Amino acid sequence: MTYRVTTRRLARDGSMASYAIVYALRWNRVGRGVQLVATLQSVESDARPELAHMVAKLLQPLVGQPMTYLVAPDGSRIDLVDPDGLWQRVLGSAHDVGAGSGQPEARQMADILASLPAAERDKLATSDIRALVAHAATLPLAGEGVTVEQVGTLKTISRRQKAGAAGPQPLEIDLSWTVDTVTGLVMAERRQSWMGTATGGRTLVEERVRALDPAVSNGEVS
């Protein structure tokens, strides 16, 4: 199963720069729960070379590192197995790259990764994977700006909200999730951030899309 996370941001020249992270996923039954092994395969970008290079360097130590999770039988929790061991491997890889490259920025990136607080380490390594399981992600099913639509086994949840301080042109956030109600997996998630314009329109300033290949949903997660 392939899992692709794409972020697009408005560049200074008015174009949208894209960054994509591609994972390979493997699911296995373990007792009443499910084991998920996620491996980051590649980091891709069409941004300016210096920006793309910076993003790739930050995530490069995670590429090829298998991350093992246990998903609770009811999908309410997804836990990373041996997070300390994972981070030791990641830091070891980062320091090896820094030492082998002879480039000061590579060594500096390794030092930055080593100094991250535990919460930031967890977010960097696992936030995309934790977003896969609908119950664990605590998706909104009711409330202001929320709509829910069911078509067959797929449930689509949408929400519009304003972000930041109130003003004449507040930032608007459009969110949507498509959930396979048989497996409990979030098959697609989209977050779009819009800035109001003086003419009453909207300009997209950032978009994040997480997407699974729907052809491989086979009821492994309930």
Side-chain angles (χ1 to χ4, degrees), residues 16-221:
M16 297 295 288
S18 296
Y19 307 85
I21 304 171
V22 182
Y23 296 88
L25 306 181
R26 188 173 73 250
W27 305 86
N28 300 292
R29 284 285 183 188
V30 178
R32 295 179 59 244
V34 174
Q35 181 192 72
L36 166 62
V37 180
T39 304
L40 198 162
Q41 291 187 312
S42 63
V43 181
E44 306 164 0
S45 178
D46 63 2
R48 299 199 314 272
E50 62 272 22
L51 295 178
H53 184 66
M54 181 176 63
V55 172
K57 272 195 173 296
L58 177 63
L59 294 174
Q60 185 60 41
L62 288 168
V63 174
Q65 295 287 348
M67 294 175 278
T68 303
Y69 300 80
L70 290 179
V71 184
D74 62 356
S76 62
R77 195 176 70 254
I78 177 169
D79 296 320
L80 178 63
V81 176
D82 190 20
D84 292 337
L86 168 65
W87 203 248
Q88 287 177 4
R89 296 196 305 273
V90 168
L91 290 179
S93 174
H95 282 295
D96 287 345
V97 170
S101 69
Q103 298 178 357
E105 62 269 22
R107 291 193 296 272
Q108 183 182 23
M109 187 58 68
D111 292 338
I112 290 173
L113 288 172
S115 66
L116 285 176
E120 289 300 316
R121 293 181 185 182
D122 183 81
K123 181 179 179 181
L124 176 65
T126 71
S127 59
D128 289 329
I129 304 303
R130 294 185 190 279
L132 274 169
V133 181
H135 291 176
T138 59
L139 305 184
L141 296 177
E144 183 178 356
V146 175
T147 60
V148 180
E149 180 182 2
Q150 180 94 29
V151 178
T153 62
L154 296 180
K155 177 184 293 184
T156 300
I157 305 164
S158 302
R159 181 174 70 185
R160 173 169 292 183
Q161 62 187 39
K162 296 187 184 299
Q169 297 175 1
L171 189 68
E172 292 186 343
I173 310 293
D174 290 343
L175 304 107
S176 68
W177 301 265
T178 299
V179 180
D180 185 327
T181 57
V182 175
T183 64
L185 291 176
V186 180
M187 305 305 296
E189 175 190 331
R190 184 184 301 270
R191 176 189 173 99
Q192 295 178 313
S193 300
W194 301 85
M195 182 69 72
T197 66
T199 59
R202 299 196 305 172
T203 297
L204 182 66
V205 295
E206 184 175 276
E207 178 182 54
R208 184 190 65 211
V209 178
R210 294 180 170 124
L212 281 169
D213 181 353
V216 295
S217 178
N218 59 7
E220 283 297 308
V221 179

